[in-house]
Amino acid sequence: ISVVQSFLPTFDILAPCVKLAVPHVRVIISRRNVSDQLTQGQRRLLALTGPLADCVVANSRDVADSVGRLEPTVARKIRVIGNGIGLPERFDPSERERARRRFGIVPGEFVIVYLAHFRDGKGHRHLPAVAKALLDRAPRVRILVAGNTNGNKGYRCNAAWLRKEIQGACLAGK
C-alpha cells in the first residue's frame, strides 16, 4: 500500500491511523462540510488523527477556511478541489422564454440560480447576506434557489430556513 484515500467522515478520522502501522504510506483525507458543523467530539478526534494525514482535500474555499481555523494542525496540508458539474448544452431562446414565464420572471429582471444541496455546512448561511447586498445594488435581481429537499428532515429544515431568510432580505423567495 502506498496511498490511502478517505472520503467519508468516519474514515477521515480512522484513515490517518494507518500511518501508525505503516509509516511510509501517504494518507489523503477530505472535508466536505465546514468544520463549524462538526460536534466537539468529532473535532477532537480529527485533531488527534488529522496531523498524521499528508493532505486534506476540501471541496470549497469556505470549507478550507473553516478547517484551517478550527483544525490548525492540518491547515498547511489543505488543498481545495472544488465540486463541479459539466456544463449543459446551451438552451435555445424559446426554452429560455418558457422558463422565465414559468417562474414569473418579467423582462428586465436579472436571474441568479443557486443550485443547493441542503445539507448542513454547505455555506447556505452566506446567501441571505449576498441576496441583501444584491438587492441594494440591483433591485431587479431575482434569485432562484433549486435543490432537493427530499433527502431528510434536516434538508427540509435548511431549505425552509433559507427561504425565510431570503424573503427577510426582501426578495421573492421563489
Side-chain angles (χ1 to χ4, degrees):
I1 298 174
S2 58
V3 176
V4 174
Q5 280 184 274
S6 168
F7 291 98
L8 293 172
T10 302
F11 296 124
D12 288 338
I13 293 168
L14 296 175
C17 297
V18 171
K19 222 171 177 111
L20 297 172
V22 188
H24 70 276
V25 73
R26 290 189 39 83
V27 176
I28 302 168
I29 59 176
S30 69
R31 298 292 190 283
R32 290 153 308 287
N33 296 311
V34 290
S35 290
D36 308 74
Q37 300 295 326
L38 298 172
T39 67
Q40 283 286 72
Q42 289 168 320
R43 284 204 304 260
R44 209 170 18 256
L45 289 170
L46 288 166
L48 288 172
T49 64
L52 296 170
D54 293 290
C55 181
V56 178
V57 176
N59 67 348
S60 73
R61 188 76 251 153
D62 190 35
V63 169
D65 291 345
S66 173
V67 172
R69 183 171 30 81
L70 293 170
E71 300 177 52
T73 58
V74 298
R76 65 179 177 73
K77 301 175 184 182
I78 299 170
R79 303 293 179 267
V80 176
I81 300 176
N83 286 341
I85 58 172
L87 294 174
E89 292 187 30
R90 290 184 54 91
F91 293 108
D92 70 51
S94 65
E95 287 176 293
R96 181 179 185 269
E97 291 310 313
R98 280 194 307 274
R100 290 179 73 86
R101 278 193 306 277
R102 178 178 175 210
F103 290 105
I105 299 163
V106 299
E109 282 186 321
F110 182 77
V111 179
I112 297 174
V113 177
Y114 180 79
L115 299 175
H117 185 291
F118 292 107
R119 194 163 99 213
D120 284 337
K122 290 296 186 180
H124 306 308
R125 69 183 183 281
H126 301 296
L127 189 58
V130 170
K132 176 74 172 102
L134 281 170
L135 182 62
D136 291 345
R137 289 173 180 79
R140 302 220 23 136
V141 166
R142 170 89 56 113
I143 294 181
L144 175 64
V145 178
N148 182 351
T149 59
N150 296 324
N152 62 41
K153 183 180 178 184
Y155 291 11
R156 288 186 291 281
C157 289
N158 288 341
W161 175 87
L162 187 59
R163 181 181 181 95
K164 179 178 150 257
E165 291 298 312
I166 291 173
Q167 286 173 331
C170 303
L171 291 175
K174 293 184 179 183

